[in-house]
Amino acid sequence: MSNQNSIITELLQFFPDRRLQMYFKSSLTALSHAMEDQVLAGNEEALIIASFQKEKFYRQEAHRYLRIGKKSRHVYVLAAPETEFKHNSDVYEKIAFAPDDSLAMEWHLIVISPNYANCLICREKPYSNSENSSESLMMMDNSRRFEGIWTYDRDISVKAAELLLYRIAEYRPELQAKIQDAIASYCADFCALEETNNIINPDPFVQRLVTYLQAGQYKLIKANRFLSAKEKKERLLNSVTGAIRRSLDPEEILQVAVDKLGEGFGVCRCLIYRCQENDLNAHINHEFLNENINSVKGQVWPLRNNPLFQEILSLRESISIDDVTIDPRIQKDPTILSKLIKSCCIVSWLIVPILYQGKLLGMMELHHCDSNPITWKPEDIALVDAIATQVGVALIQAESYAHLEDLNEQLEALDRTRSNLVAITGHELRTPLSTIQVCLESLANEPDMSEELRQVMLTTALHDAERMRKLVQDFLTLSQLESGRVEWNPEPLSLEECIELSLCQIRSRKDKNSLPKIRINLSQTLPLVQADGEWLVEVLSKLLDNACKFTNGNGEIVINVEEKNNNILKVTISDNGRGIEPDRLDKVFDRFYQEEGALRRSAGGTGLGLAICRQIVHNWGGKIWAESQGKNQGSEFHFTIPVFNNDSISSSKNN
Ligand code: ADP
């Protein structure tokens, strides 16, 4: 039975000169309350018609209408029913209009007494789309807007009352007689009442109105304070997030976060430290301090037996302590916690874990050190939690970036190796291959070649084939060592025997007359060493081979072995040959390093020998290094090797 005609539109047809005015909901509430209070405070009966858009708005005022209903026979309350609002004639008349009636968009309150008439007739103004932002929605209830008329004009009030009473009659025809009586008593004869019109004192009404407006204003200020506090916190979160995301350096991220958090919360001390679940201790490296607060930076704090840390680990959430003096956890553990609290002067304590996908990365702590404890509000804890989450993400990002950089460096090194390999293959393989090819072609195509020349050709081809074999062999050996695919068989060995073996190899490969003099300086009481014999001989051979290669026939090579301590021997192979520039002493161990560069080699070799030695020595836990005073000053190559003992057997077996 809904009626689509708007009361306000109908009313304007009778008073075409009236202009609608805009009202916010808060003003309408204040006006309505002031009008209702005027009825409650007065002594005469009045006609009161109140129309609520929804039952829930009526419910907020129901207690007032109970009192108003007792003051007058003609009280009519309309609302769109939601749960229990129905037509009813109990203390006053209730009219439940259809939810799609135009009344559902309007707000009316009409009071007509013999002495005054007052009406509020409004309809809701819908929001435009552009205003429908989250902010306007948040503020919506108080800033809902209406347009309409609020007036003391009796003509308008009476007409509005009539229009509403007719609408009531449509819904509740059984009230026809009562409605006629209301019209006769309060509307029909209004001319006769005109003389008494406006005789009441408006002051109390204005007083009440101001009180209600003040109350509305107070609510707005409260809402505004709440919003600005929320905005301040959002700004803090954004500024921390923005600042830490700008860096990929974990240390910088933590320092920026601790500073922003400390400043934002205005706490006495703020700490961030890295830690993992099983850590025994944490190093306090990042700190924000307010004036006159003692620093704890650089301290090491216990974690394993710290009950608060353990509680955070099991709960995976923050702990807030408003007052440490009455917290049962602290009283239960008088040692560690009390010591920390005393040395840091903590009164109120907030500890928040930095987690990433459940993994603990560190902790954030806020300390309040004044004598009066503070209460950590849930929204503050939630904000620190949110910042901790952001710090966790930033740390993981920074670490991933660092890994990526490592990976990049490894890739670049690999690329350099590949280029070196191409260069060395170009020279080392192509040159001997061409020589071999020329020699073999000549041997095949020139049957008349002298026996002597034939011999030279064959020797040259064989020599170059050997060079190629060596390069391929070294390359395979190094790849095998670097990839960890070598099976090690450590055993007790006599160093002297290994040296002899490698010298035999050298002597068999080189022309005895061109070899420098080789002197061995060994004590008779040397202990056995623990190593894989094959690889130990490989190291000795390569070092001796180099010493021979870079020292001319008149020079001298000395092999010396020294006992560093009970567990380690130091082997030194020194020569008085070509020497090495001091800034190249580390470089010589790089793969493919050759002083003249791969393409200008004079002494032969592959540039892989020392890289192979380093891999082997590192495997038995030793060190290898070179010393030289510079060019033509000779060189010394040293390496260390473990002495054999029963423990080393068992540990190598375990390996
Ligand atoms: P190569 O097969 O070229 O000898 P290595 O890895 O054994 O490769 O040695 C790398 C480089 O270190 C050599 O090319 C040489 O420049 C330098 N070097 C090695 N041993 C000596 C030494 N005893 N005296 C001078 N230079 C040396």
Side-chain angles (χ1 to χ4, degrees):
M1 199 219 284
S2 70
N3 189 327
Q4 303 303 317
N5 296 336
S6 149
I7 297 283
I8 197 142
T9 313
E10 285 182 22
L11 188 67
L12 285 177
Q13 285 165 6
F14 292 95
F15 303 96
D17 296 338
R18 286 305 287 225
R19 290 281 156 265
L20 297 183
Q21 203 183 324
M22 209 212 24
Y23 297 94
F24 286 112
K25 187 199 161 191
S26 48
S27 325
L28 288 186
T29 310
L31 272 171
S32 308
H33 285 169
M35 285 167 71
E36 288 157 1
D37 283 3
Q38 197 169 16
V39 174
L40 288 168
N43 293 324
E44 70 278 309
E45 279 213 19
L47 163 65
I48 296 121
I49 309 171
S51 171
F52 295 90
Q53 288 177 285
K54 291 198 168 130
E55 181 185 327
K56 67 172 179 197
F57 300 137
Y58 154 74
R59 274 203 298 270
Q60 290 166 11
E61 309 298 333
H63 61 287
R64 293 173 147 257
Y65 279 87
L66 216 59
R67 283 161 57 211
I68 292 172
K70 287 179 187 154
K71 296 209 72 150
S72 172
R73 216 164 60 80
H74 284 293
V75 178
Y76 301 85
V77 176
L78 301 92
E82 284 165 323
T83 53
E84 52 193 35
F85 192 87
K86 308 192 182 59
H87 292 336
N88 181 306
S89 302
D90 198 1
V91 184
Y92 47 84
E93 299 297 346
K94 282 188 191 166
I95 301 96
F97 59 74
D100 60 344
D101 195 296
S102 69
L103 289 171
M105 285 300 290
E106 300 187 346
W107 177 337
H108 310 305
L109 177 59
I110 297 160
V111 180
I112 301 177
S113 86
N115 285 330
Y116 68 92
N118 192 354
C119 87
L120 176 63
I121 301 280
C122 288
R123 67 178 163 217
E124 184 140 17
K125 248 173 100 75
Y127 277 88
S128 68
N129 275 346
S130 64
E131 288 168 317
N132 216 3
S133 66
S134 58
E135 205 179 315
S136 60
L137 280 174
M138 210 158 56
M139 292 289 295
M140 199 160 99
D141 201 46
N142 265 328
S143 60
R144 271 167 63 201
R145 286 185 305 180
F146 293 78
E147 57 181 3
I149 298 167
W150 171 70
T151 179
Y152 263 96
D153 184 315
R154 180 169 275 274
D155 285 354
I156 297 177
S157 304
V158 163
K159 187 43 89 188
E162 279 177 358
L163 291 172
L164 276 166
L165 285 169
Y166 294 144
R167 191 68 68 89
I168 292 167
E170 279 173 27
Y171 279 103
R172 297 198 50 193
E174 76 277 13
L175 295 182
Q176 198 66 43
K178 189 171 177 182
I179 288 170
Q180 284 312 323
D181 177 41
I183 292 175
S185 313
Y186 294 99
C187 306
D189 205 14
F190 63 87
C191 292
L193 294 165
E194 202 134 272
E195 286 163 21
T196 57
N197 200 10
N198 287 340
I199 58 166
I200 62 152
N201 175 8
D203 277 0
F205 178 82
V206 173
Q207 293 287 346
R208 282 183 211 112
L209 183 58
V210 168
T211 309
Y212 285 121
L213 283 173
Q214 294 275 65
Q217 187 64 23
Y218 175 72
K219 269 193 201 160
L220 274 177
I221 290 170
K222 238 174 99 178
N224 200 27
R225 260 197 226 129
F226 173 75
L227 281 179
S228 67
K230 204 168 155 218
E231 196 202 325
K232 197 175 144 204
K233 283 176 181 154
E234 266 167 20
R235 244 187 290 133
L236 173 64
L237 179 62
N238 285 344
S239 89
V240 176
T241 311
I244 60 180
R245 290 280 170 91
R246 273 195 287 278
S247 172
L248 283 168
D249 171 5
E251 296 303 305
E252 193 182 334
I253 288 172
L254 297 180
Q255 196 51 51
V256 168
V258 83
D259 286 342
K260 294 251 175 207
L261 194 64
E263 276 164 28
F265 274 86
V267 284
C268 298
R269 184 188 298 111
C270 179
L271 305 176
I272 303 185
Y273 48 87
R274 300 292 306 259
C275 58
Q276 291 179 358
E277 314 219 346
N278 296 324
D279 285 354
L280 274 177
N281 303 306
H283 292 258
I284 312 299
N285 287 338
H286 300 278
E287 177 185 64
F288 165 88
L289 281 185
N290 242 321
E291 271 171 39
N292 302 327
I293 303 294
N294 65 318
S295 168
V296 296
K297 198 168 170 176
Q299 290 186 3
V300 178
W301 282 9
L303 295 181
R304 179 68 61 80
N305 39 13
N306 175 335
L308 294 182
F309 180 73
Q310 295 306 326
E311 188 179 329
I312 288 178
L313 280 191
S314 66
L315 297 177
R316 312 307 266 188
E317 55 185 47
S318 334
I319 289 183
S320 63
I321 299 173
D322 293 343
D323 185 349
V324 293
T325 56
I326 52 169
D327 191 90
R329 284 167 292 202
I330 290 162
Q331 280 163 357
K332 243 198 266 164
D333 175 86
T335 51
I336 291 186
L337 295 178
S338 301
K339 237 166 125 186
L340 268 183
I341 287 168
K342 205 167 158 212
S343 69
C344 303
C345 309
I346 304 171
V347 175
S348 306
W349 201 352
L350 177 62
I351 315 175
V352 177
I354 302 172
L355 299 164
Y356 182 78
Q357 294 186 344
K359 186 180 160 212
L360 183 73
L361 304 177
M363 290 283 179
M364 279 182 169
E365 296 200 8
L366 268 59
H367 299 170
H368 178 73
C369 306
D370 279 353
S371 44
N372 296 330
I374 55 164
T375 306
W376 300 106
K377 294 192 206 116
E379 61 267 26
D380 288 343
I381 300 172
L383 181 63
V384 184
D385 270 336
I387 292 174
T389 307
Q390 293 302 327
V391 170
V393 172
L395 283 177
I396 292 292
Q397 261 182 5
E399 275 163 14
S400 314
Y401 179 76
H403 288 156
L404 218 81
E405 278 204 319
D406 278 357
L407 223 77
N408 256 344
E409 267 170 28
Q410 282 173 23
L411 278 176
E412 274 170 21
L414 254 164
D415 197 48
R416 274 196 305 276
T417 308
R418 192 187 55 83
S419 311
N420 278 333
L421 187 66
V422 171
I424 207 150
T425 316
H427 186 262
E428 292 293 328
L429 293 181
R430 196 159 18 85
T431 314
L433 209 66
S434 319
T435 317
I436 294 167
Q437 196 178 7
V438 169
C439 292
L440 294 180
E441 271 172 11
S442 310
L443 286 169
N445 298 335
E446 291 170 36
D448 302 337
M449 193 187 285
S450 71
E451 191 51 39
E452 201 180 332
L453 193 56
R454 194 177 279 272
Q455 202 51 50
V456 171
M457 290 286 175
L458 269 175
T459 316
T460 310
L462 281 173
H463 178 258
D464 278 31
E466 174 59 14
R467 264 178 70 187
M468 277 174 63
R469 189 197 61 76
K470 235 183 120 196
L471 174 67
V472 172
Q473 180 60 48
D474 273 0
F475 190 72
L476 289 176
T477 306
L478 186 62
S479 313
Q480 217 185 348
L481 285 164
E482 284 184 344
S483 65
R485 279 182 282 118
V486 172
E487 207 181 298
W488 300 92
N489 298 306
E491 54 186 331
L493 297 169
S494 149
L495 200 52
E496 192 176 358
E497 280 174 22
C498 293
I499 292 171
E500 280 305 332
L501 216 62
S502 48
L503 278 174
C504 280
Q505 285 182 7
I506 302 275
R507 287 190 182 117
S508 68
R509 283 205 302 264
K510 306 239 177 196
D511 172 10
K512 266 193 195 138
N513 299 325
S514 67
L515 273 183
K517 193 175 157 212
I518 301 178
R519 198 153 50 86
I520 307 174
N521 213 352
L522 291 186
S523 132
Q524 294 300 309
T525 56
L526 271 185
L528 296 179
V529 294
Q530 170 77 9
D532 182 313
E534 202 183 313
W535 291 108
L536 174 56
V537 172
E538 180 83 13
V539 173
L540 290 164
S541 305
K542 286 205 178 313
L543 295 179
L544 283 168
D545 192 45
N546 278 347
C548 296
K549 230 167 29 183
F550 299 110
T551 311
N552 63 36
N554 311 327
E556 187 187 39
I557 296 169
V558 181
I559 304 171
N560 191 50
V561 180
E562 199 184 310
E563 243 183 297
K564 290 280 286 177
N565 52 42
N566 285 343
N567 301 322
I568 290 172
L569 296 188
K570 184 176 91 167
V571 182
T572 302
I573 296 174
S574 45
D575 62 61
N576 54 3
R578 189 171 91 177
I580 302 169
E581 292 294 348
D583 63 336
R584 305 269 127 185
L585 290 170
D586 285 337
K587 283 251 158 246
V588 292
F589 292 93
D590 287 354
R591 279 174 283 180
F592 296 116
Y593 175 82
Q594 286 186 319
E595 211 206 319
E596 308 92 330
L599 304 179
R600 289 184 289 112
R601 271 183 342 87
S602 54
T606 60
L608 295 175
L610 290 178
I612 290 174
C613 292
R614 184 173 55 180
Q615 285 286 333
I616 299 169
V617 173
H618 283 178
N619 180 271
W620 64 55
K623 282 188 200 153
I624 183 166
W625 69 102
E627 287 174 10
S628 171
Q629 297 305 314
K631 247 195 160 81
N632 300 322
Q633 304 290 311
S635 319
E636 285 183 356
F637 281 83
H638 311 270
F639 69 86
T640 58
I641 186 162
V643 166
F644 164 75
N645 62 35
N646 285 331
D647 292 348
S648 58
I649 289 188
S650 56
S651 72
S652 65
K653 270 188 188 149
N654 292 340
N655 286 343

